[in-house]
Amino acid sequence: MGSATSRHGHGHGRWRHAATPHSHDARDAVDRALAASRKGMRALWISFAALLVTALGQAVLVAFTGSVALLSDTLHNFADALTAVPLAVAFLLARRAATRRFTYGLGRAEDLAGLAVLAVIAASAAAAGWEAVRRLVESHPVAHSGWLAVAGLLGFVGNELVARYRIRVGREIGSAALVADGRHARTDGFTSLGVLGSAAGTALGWWWVDPVVGVLITAAIAVVLWGSAKDVLARMLDAVDPELVLRAERVLAATPGVRAVGGMRMRWVGHALRAEAELDVDPDLSLAAAHHIAHTAEHNLCQALPRLGGAVLHAHPSGAHDVPSHHGDRPRPRPAG
């Protein structure tokens, strides 16, 4: 009940029980997390297999054609397939129960996996760019333009299928790393179409087209790296969509008995949201009534935000916000209605 009750010893404990409702749906939250993790694992391994088959097929055609553009695309597809490994490790860690040391569990291992994905993308871009520039300086003939075109189409189809699947599942379970990986695969698909340009240049006898396409593919990979880095790093800094915060405030403020909402904070832990807020209630309410309002508000919030893994709602007597609090500076309460 804020600092107003912290001065009253035992009374503070009773009000805290009312103000911060028990997690009656804890088992349901764990089950949702496990289901999301299993769905994410399935998406990873299916897309891993698809990308691996795509990259192996392209690797065979690299040997036939000697195309540096195709080599760049193949290296990147192999790297994209390998990003499934750190993500899979993160999903497995997220299944572990919270402990005294890791009180929120290990869901944020997914953020570290996102960094590993970024490192793999950067390494593939560096390798592809180096080889493309080397071939541009040292001319190298490219053969079998028809097979080169087939390889480009193979890369596009394989990556687009994987991109659609990863992005859809990532959004369903709230995984920024999986969505970033899906967007990465989508760009890979369009860069694979660039190999068709190399095939056309080869057919016309323009040897320089192939390494130029390789450089352009490297540039496209760098653009994906930048966009993915912004998403992953923002998640690590506890960024959330402001619309989610606004929606949560509206839901809490609409709960009968809540006069105002303050201190609204949200963060992602893996692919589950955690929320906390302070609710202004009638100071003359009984302990049971305050508990009922807080519990109802929590229930409404879980219904409005399906990815919510837990919420801590602290009830305050209306008007107590002018008393100094251990919470420090906090947003002013948002009036209900």
Side-chain angles (χ1 to χ4, degrees), residues 144 165 194 229 234 259:
H144 304 292
Y165 186 44
R259 294 185 173 182

Side-chain angles (χ1 to χ4, degrees), residues 60-105:
V60 171
L61 294 174
V62 167
F64 279 104
T65 64
S67 168
V68 67
L70 181 56
L71 175 63
S72 298
D73 197 42
T74 302
L75 285 174
H76 198 42
N77 284 329
F78 269 120
D80 198 25
L82 291 176
T83 58
V85 176
L87 286 173
V89 172
F91 286 155
L92 287 174
L93 289 175
R95 294 182 180 183
R96 295 190 177 183
T99 65
R100 290 285 187 178
R101 182 174 178 81
F102 299 100
T103 55
Y104 282 94

Side-chain angles (χ1 to χ4, degrees), residues 229-313:
K230 289 194 295 183
D231 290 342
V232 171
L233 295 178
R235 179 65 66 90
M236 292 190 71
L237 294 174
D238 288 334
V240 296
D241 185 350
E243 178 60 32
L244 287 176
V245 179
L246 183 59
R247 189 190 311 171
E249 287 179 335
R250 287 173 175 169
V251 169
L252 294 176
T255 302
V258 175
R259 294 185 173 182
V261 179
M264 189 75 232
R265 294 180 178 89
M266 302 178 76
R267 71 190 304 188
W268 286 97
V269 179
H271 39 258
L273 275 170
R274 298 280 178 173
E276 59 179 273
E278 297 167 352
L279 310 179
D280 274 17
V281 298
D282 187 341
D284 295 326
L285 286 176
S286 67
L287 179 68
H291 178 89
H292 176 73
I293 291 173
H295 181 64
T296 301
E298 180 189 24
H299 174 76
N300 293 344
L301 195 60
C302 289
Q303 294 296 314
L305 303 175
R307 295 175 188 168
L308 189 68
V312 176
L313 305 178

Side-chain angles (χ1 to χ4, degrees), residues 201-216:
T202 298
L204 294 173
W206 299 341
W207 67 268
W208 51 268
V209 172
D210 186 65
V212 167
V213 170
V215 171
L216 293 176

